[in-house]
Amino acid sequence: MHAIVIEDKHLVWAEVPDPEPAEGEVIVDVTASAVNRADVLQRQGLYPPPSGASDYPGLECSGVISAVGPGVTGHHVGERVCALLAGGGYAERVAVPAGQLLPVPAGLSLVEVASLPEVACTVWSNVVDRDRLRPGETLLVHGGGSGIGTFAIQLGAALGARVLVTARAEKHERLRALGADLAIDYQTQDFVRVVRDHTGGRGADVVLDIIGAKYLARNVEALAVEGRITVIGMQGGRAAELDLSRLMAKRGRVSSTSLRARPAADKARIVAGVRDQVWPLVAAGLVKPVIHSTFALAEAAEAHRLMESGDHFGKILLQR
Ligand SMILES: NC(=O)c1ccc[n+]([C@@H]2O[C@H](COP(=O)([O-])OP(=O)(O)OC[C@H]3O[C@@H](n4cnc5c(N)ncnc54)[C@H](OP(=O)(O)O)[C@@H]3O)[C@@H](O)[C@H]2O)c1
């Protein structure tokens, strides 16, 4: 088969051996994959795959099952699926633990569903499973125009929360159309002041943060009493000082998670939660894929250049 391999920080379409299904795995013939910021970091040598994962980039895919390994029940050759991966999605075929497979929700094509597994699992596991966002609460999402952000806005709104986002001004109209109550221009506005003003001084109940160090202290200032901050990205650095008295005064919580390195059993639990709680919202049209553009899989390097430019809104797909 062919796959995108990383050679000297470049993406190269190369001939590689076919994967074999191990115990509990299926082989998926890939129809589409999608680009995540983590793939760019992996290509740059800054984010090696976890041990046991494929060396090829690609944290999600859609396609058709072409082989079923030993010990797998409930799946069959010819089944249309999408999947959360630890790597290997930029390829013609990929081995997937059966617990990381998801069905294709009604109304979506096999190409567009490739945009969902990574963002759905990341956002649901943090905002719903971990931070217990409740109807009527305020969710602050940093980087509203990202793949993660465009999904988090829709999920938060569908769950009855008020969603506030930070993003560059040119993305604001599209963010409001997705369900954001308010978009904040992080280049010209102080998000702490705007969040406080907009919530009558209360602050955000849940903060989903991709910036890290640069926003830590300000996230605490923007937090409501009993608020929860989860940091899932470090685009603004990894080391910061935290004034615990400010956090304590709010009885606040700061946590951080990474999906990719979680054990397979954890991922299977998250995937099951997404199937039960998020997929019905997708099938009902309340949460939709937000796809900026689609490249041929062999042209993944072009897709990475687009992601690095920051000009995309939502997801960038790779189609075979
Ligand atoms: N921990 C995990 O398990 C996990 C899983 C998935 C993703 N992530 C992380 O989530 C983040 C988003 O991933 P993605 O693939 O969706 O990336 P992406 O589409 O490339 O999004 C990056 C976003 O960062 C925004 N941004 C840059 N500087 C900002 C600032 N100062 N304030 C607010 N927003 C800012 C950009 O918004 P503008 O265009 O408006 O500037 C852009 O939308 C990445 O950091 C990724 O590593 C973590």
Side-chain angles (χ1 to χ4, degrees):
M1 71 163 186
H2 282 82
I4 291 284
V5 300
I6 299 173
E7 280 180 16
D8 199 19
K9 301 188 179 174
H10 290 94
L11 300 180
V12 179
W13 186 237
E15 198 161 344
V16 299
D18 269 39
E20 292 292 330
E23 174 85 23
E25 290 183 343
V26 305
I27 299 297
V28 172
D29 277 14
V30 174
T31 298
S33 185
V35 181
N36 287 280
R37 179 74 37 178
D39 308 338
V40 173
L41 297 174
Q42 180 173 339
R43 194 202 76 229
Q44 292 168 337
L46 302 171
Y47 189 44
S51 86
S54 166
D55 282 339
Y56 319 135
L59 299 179
E60 56 197 333
C61 75
S62 62
V64 178
I65 294 178
S66 61
V68 175
V72 175
T73 55
H75 292 285
H76 61 269
V77 170
E79 186 181 341
R80 289 152 47 94
V81 292
C82 61
L84 177 71
L85 307 171
Y90 292 18
E92 290 179 318
R93 277 181 276 288
V94 62
V96 186
Q100 289 167 222
L101 296 169
L102 283 156
V104 181
L108 294 198
S109 75
L110 197 51
V111 172
E112 61 191 352
V113 76
S115 67
L116 291 183
E118 171 72 14
V119 290
C121 291
T122 301
V123 173
W124 179 85
S125 62
N126 288 296
V127 170
V128 179
D129 192 40
R130 195 177 178 86
D131 287 339
R132 306 272 157 196
L133 180 71
R134 290 182 288 269
E137 285 195 323
T138 298
L139 169 66
L140 171 63
V141 177
H142 288 299
S146 65
I148 291 286
T150 50
F151 189 89
I153 292 167
Q154 298 183 81
L155 184 61
L159 295 174
R162 173 160 58 165
V163 186
L164 315 182
V165 296
T166 58
R168 278 190 256 168
E170 63 262 33
K171 299 185 176 177
H172 286 191
E173 204 177 315
R174 285 172 286 174
L175 294 168
R176 283 190 292 266
L178 282 179
D181 209 57
L182 181 77
I184 304 164
D185 181 358
Y186 68 81
Q187 291 176 320
T188 60
Q189 293 179 286
D190 171 13
F191 75 79
V192 175
R193 191 181 53 72
V194 180
V195 169
R196 280 205 194 129
D197 286 353
H198 197 74
T199 56
R202 193 167 176 278
D205 300 287
V206 173
V207 180
L208 183 64
D209 179 56
I210 62 171
I211 301 300
K214 195 169 135 196
Y215 279 3
L216 181 62
R218 290 162 74 203
N219 280 336
V220 173
E221 293 309 310
L223 199 64
V225 170
E226 303 280 356
R228 296 81 80 195
I229 298 168
T230 294
V231 181
I232 61 163
M234 296 175 286
Q235 292 177 206
R238 56 172 71 178
E241 198 164 291
L242 174 63
D243 182 342
L244 288 169
S245 72
R246 304 295 300 155
L247 189 64
M248 213 180 274
K250 294 189 168 170
R251 301 188 295 281
R253 201 184 72 195
V254 179
S255 65
S256 192
T257 68
S258 167
L259 179 61
R260 189 181 194 183
R262 284 191 183 222
D266 262 21
K267 287 186 182 169
R269 190 188 64 77
I270 290 168
V271 165
V274 165
R275 188 187 56 228
D276 294 347
Q277 295 184 25
V278 180
W279 258 214
L281 301 173
V282 176
L286 293 170
V287 176
K288 298 189 175 94
V290 179
I291 296 166
H292 180 88
S293 50
T294 305
F295 291 78
L297 182 50
E299 308 295 328
E302 281 300 317
H304 274 215
R305 275 191 276 280
L306 172 59
M307 177 163 273
E308 286 172 88
S309 77
D311 291 336
H312 63 296
F313 182 82
K315 297 286 291 192
I316 303 167
L317 287 192
L318 300 171
Q319 189 176 356
R320 248 181 88 191

